[in-house]
Amino acid sequence: MISRGIPAVINSVLPRNMSGKWLDTSIKGFLLDITGVCYDSAGNSGIPIEGSIEAIKLLRQAKIPFRFCSNESTASRVHLARKLGEIGFDIKAEEITCPAPVAAQLLRERGLRPFFLVKDEVLEEFEGINSTNANCVVMGDAQENFSYENVNRAFSVLINSPTPILISMGCGRYYKETDGLKIDVGAYCKGLEYACGIKAEFVGKPDPKYFLSALEQLKISPANCVMIGDDVAGDCGAAQKAGMRALLVRTGKYRAEDERRTDVQPDGVVDNLLQAVQAFLDFKNAKAE
């Protein structure tokens, strides 16, 4: 139960441009998106978003549980952690939840043989899976591998199967890199759905089970965790449906109209990850006094 003095405490630690309704004593940890929250990608490199490296350091120093929950499908967790390390982040592969390992487990459980429409850098997550004589398609953000030839090969697998199975790692419309917005896997997935007259199975956000799988690693219940993302629907709205609170950052693919939507209303909007972390730590410190 929050005491009557808490609203005054919240107001005293918040910048004027940030709502404090997400802050209360029940919050124990965070799920963090990566692209658009921690950094903007630029091919095989990227640029940290202002304050994000410091924010992660502050969470570690304060021993606040957190985990990265991303729809990143262009690289394996090891490759992604290495890439982020090269631009200044201290992130371990085992701290990342992303769709490829979940998709790999699904393939093993169902005995499926995939045709992969993905980038080469993510294939190590599927090591040991038989892909000969494919009976399904697994797709991610294949970027340059979304050639006509490759997309048509995926189409051929699906259209010639008596029970076509299309598994998409994420269903995003677009994301932001350093040189602007980029089309995401969801657009290509919709094309294959239309061409084959099927519905894809999605692995990753916005599936509530995906958030819950990340929370299992943290050993935190949804009611005690906040998701921080740059996608008002895929991050914030989806996390709320999973029972979490959600913060929208004004970085990455954020657009001003996101704050005016009536169908999705985040529990707070912050300028960046660092502002959220500082507000939370200031709130905790004020409560401890």
Side-chain angles (χ1 to χ4, degrees), residues 8-9 17 25 77 82 86 173 183 205 229 232 239 251 262:
V9 171
N17 59 345
T25 54
R77 290 166 295 172
R82 184 184 308 121
E86 290 171 353
R173 295 185 299 150
I183 193 168
K205 298 178 289 186
V232 67
T251 57
T262 57

Side-chain angles (χ1 to χ4, degrees), residues 87-241:
I87 60 173
F89 288 94
D90 174 22
I91 296 176
K92 303 175 181 64
E94 57 268 26
E95 295 176 316
I96 301 172
T97 293
C98 59
V102 181
Q105 182 61 30
L106 184 152
L107 294 172
R108 294 187 182 97
E109 290 173 353
R110 294 165 60 178
L112 295 172
R113 302 182 305 276
F115 170 76
F116 289 111
L117 186 55
V118 300
K119 289 197 70 170
D120 295 343
E121 289 84 349
V122 78
L123 286 174
E124 67 182 77
E125 297 281 16
F126 298 92
E127 186 176 354
I129 291 177
N130 181 12
S131 60
T132 58
N133 190 23
N135 60 5
C136 73
V137 171
V138 172
M139 65 187 304
D141 181 15
Q143 296 182 344
E144 67 275 5
N145 285 348
F146 277 134
S147 64
Y148 175 81
E149 179 183 2
N150 288 340
V151 173
N152 203 54
R153 287 179 66 191
F155 166 77
S156 295
V157 170
L158 295 168
I159 204 68
N160 291 313
S161 172
T163 55
I165 299 172
L166 173 60
I167 299 170
S168 181
M169 296 186 288
C171 56
R173 295 185 299 150
Y174 57 86
Y175 58 93
K176 183 177 181 294
E177 290 199 339
T178 53
D179 59 348
L181 298 177
K182 306 292 182 179
I183 193 168
D184 204 353
V185 61
Y188 294 93
C189 179
K190 288 297 182 183
L192 286 171
E193 284 184 322
Y194 175 73
C196 301
I198 62 174
K199 290 295 183 182
E201 301 176 31
F202 294 105
V203 176
K205 298 178 289 186
D207 185 351
K209 294 191 297 293
Y210 188 67
F211 292 98
L212 297 178
S213 69
L215 289 175
E216 286 177 5
Q217 301 297 316
L218 283 180
K219 296 180 172 52
I220 293 177
S221 69
N224 300 131
C225 193
V226 175
M227 174 72 201
I228 302 180
D230 67 327
D231 186 326
V232 67
D235 289 328
C236 298
Q240 289 170 329
K241 289 178 181 178

Side-chain angles (χ1 to χ4, degrees), residues 18-125:
M18 183 171 64
S19 165
K21 66 180 180 179
W22 62 278
L23 281 170
D24 71 46
T25 54
S26 69
I27 299 304
K28 307 300 181 186
F30 294 89
L31 291 183
L32 311 177
D33 194 8
I34 297 178
T35 303
V37 173
C38 295
Y39 88 125
D40 287 326
S41 181
N44 292 323
S45 185
I47 297 177
I49 291 171
E50 183 178 0
S52 58
I53 293 175
E54 181 183 352
I56 293 169
K57 288 180 179 178
L58 288 173
L59 287 173
R60 292 197 193 282
Q61 290 169 2
K63 295 181 169 52
I64 305 298
F66 68 95
R67 185 170 180 84
F68 300 95
C69 185
S70 171
N71 269 359
E72 174 63 58
S73 63
T74 62
S76 69
R77 290 166 295 172
V78 170
H79 184 97
L80 178 59
R82 184 184 308 121
K83 173 181 173 178
L84 292 168
E86 290 171 353
I87 60 173
F89 288 94
D90 174 22
I91 296 176
K92 303 175 181 64
E94 57 268 26
E95 295 176 316
I96 301 172
T97 293
C98 59
V102 181
Q105 182 61 30
L106 184 152
L107 294 172
R108 294 187 182 97
E109 290 173 353
R110 294 165 60 178
L112 295 172
R113 302 182 305 276
F115 170 76
F116 289 111
L117 186 55
V118 300
K119 289 197 70 170
D120 295 343
E121 289 84 349
V122 78
L123 286 174
E124 67 182 77
E125 297 281 16

